[in-house]
Every structure is written in C-alpha cells, then in structure tokens.
Amino acid sequence: LFQSGAQRQGLLIAQGLLRNERGEVLLCELVYKSAWDLPGGVVDPGESPATCVHREVTEELGLDLPVGSLAAVNWLPPYRGWDDALLLLFDLGTVDASLMERAVLQPREIRAVHWVAPDDLADHVAPYTVEMIRQVTTPGPTRYLENSQDR
C-alpha cells in the first residue's frame, strides 16, 4: 500500500460516521489511547475499506450496520509517530440513540461509547477528526481533504 520503491508503506484507515436523531456523533473511548475516535480501523491486506468498517463495527461494537456512501477521502500527514495515512470516511447513517443499548463492546479495544454533540468533539478527539467531521456535515459529493482541509 502506498509503495514507491520497496521501502515506503503508508497506512489505509477506514472509519464510519454514525449520528443519532439529535445530530450527535458516536465516538469510541479506546483502551489503547487517550483520544476517542470514530468506529473503524486499519484496513487489512486484501480487504476493501467498506468491508473493514463493517468488520470493525461488528467486532468492536457487536452491531450489524450498513455501510453507506463514502463521505470523505482524507490524506493525513505523519502524526504522533505514525507515517502519513489515507483515511476513508463512510457514512453509517442516522440511528436512534437507543441503538447503543444493544451494543456489545469488545473489552480489549473499546472501553465505552458516547454520543457527542458536534460542538463538544474537540474535547474528545484529535484535531484532524474534528475538522474532518465539520467538513462532511453539509450534504454534497464525497470530499477530498488533505489534513482535514479542502484542497
């Protein structure tokens, strides 16, 4: 992935944006890092990004959600020891907030899940995630972003 020569490998990440009827965004409180994040993860070799989102949501939250359209393609520069990455953000739709009462969290990955108002996202997630979500809140075609900014 992202190979130019035999030495360079980038990261492909697929995440899902799930909202409730109040416009809040579902965030996962992860066991292995302090910042919360959208559901999803690193795409496995040979796996499609949409399949990755479905797999991660099923494994980590115990929910079978349809993966909708691609909301954004976001190139991310190196961040906190990671190489640059390509993040594909898929729309998981809008659900009733009570859906999370049925979630079965994978304890080695997810400590808790939270519905968070858009104005409060910066208190919980990395800055690039706040900006990426802000970029995709207006209806329209798939957005191409670089570091969560329009190019």
Side-chain angles (χ1 to χ4, degrees):
L1 200 55
F2 291 147
Q3 290 190 358
S4 58
Q7 310 216 353
R8 171 98 164 63
Q9 291 217 326
L11 194 59
L12 181 58
I13 302 166
Q15 292 183 322
L17 179 62
L18 183 64
R19 292 172 268 206
N20 67 22
E21 69 279 2
R22 295 182 302 269
E24 296 168 320
V25 174
L26 183 78
L27 294 178
C28 299
E29 186 177 346
L30 304 169
V31 170
Y32 51 87
K33 66 181 184 178
S34 59
W36 299 357
D37 214 343
L38 296 166
V42 175
V43 178
D44 288 338
E47 179 180 48
S48 80
T51 299
C52 172
V53 172
H54 186 265
R55 174 183 55 76
E56 292 281 357
V57 169
T58 302
E59 289 175 0
E60 296 179 356
L61 304 177
L63 299 172
D64 184 13
L65 298 175
V67 177
S69 62
L70 183 62
V73 174
N74 189 10
W75 174 83
L76 299 170
Y79 182 75
R80 294 190 175 178
W82 292 87
D83 286 339
D84 62 328
L86 190 63
L87 189 156
L88 303 179
L89 180 66
F90 290 88
D91 186 358
L92 295 179
T94 301
V95 298
D96 189 281
S98 65
L99 173 72
M100 296 320 296
E101 294 169 11
R102 296 195 316 258
V104 178
L105 307 183
Q106 184 182 65
R108 73 172 199 264
E109 298 256 354
I110 309 292
R111 182 173 289 118
V113 292
H114 308 274
W115 289 113
V116 178
D119 290 344
D120 297 329
L121 289 170
D123 295 335
H124 304 289
V125 297
Y128 73 86
T129 301
V130 175
E131 183 60 22
M132 180 178 62
I133 292 171
R134 189 187 71 71
Q135 290 280 352
V136 300
T137 54
T138 56
T142 299
R143 305 293 295 271
Y144 173 73
L145 307 170
E146 290 187 359
N147 199 20
S148 300
Q149 301 290 320
D150 276 325
R151 182 165 192 278

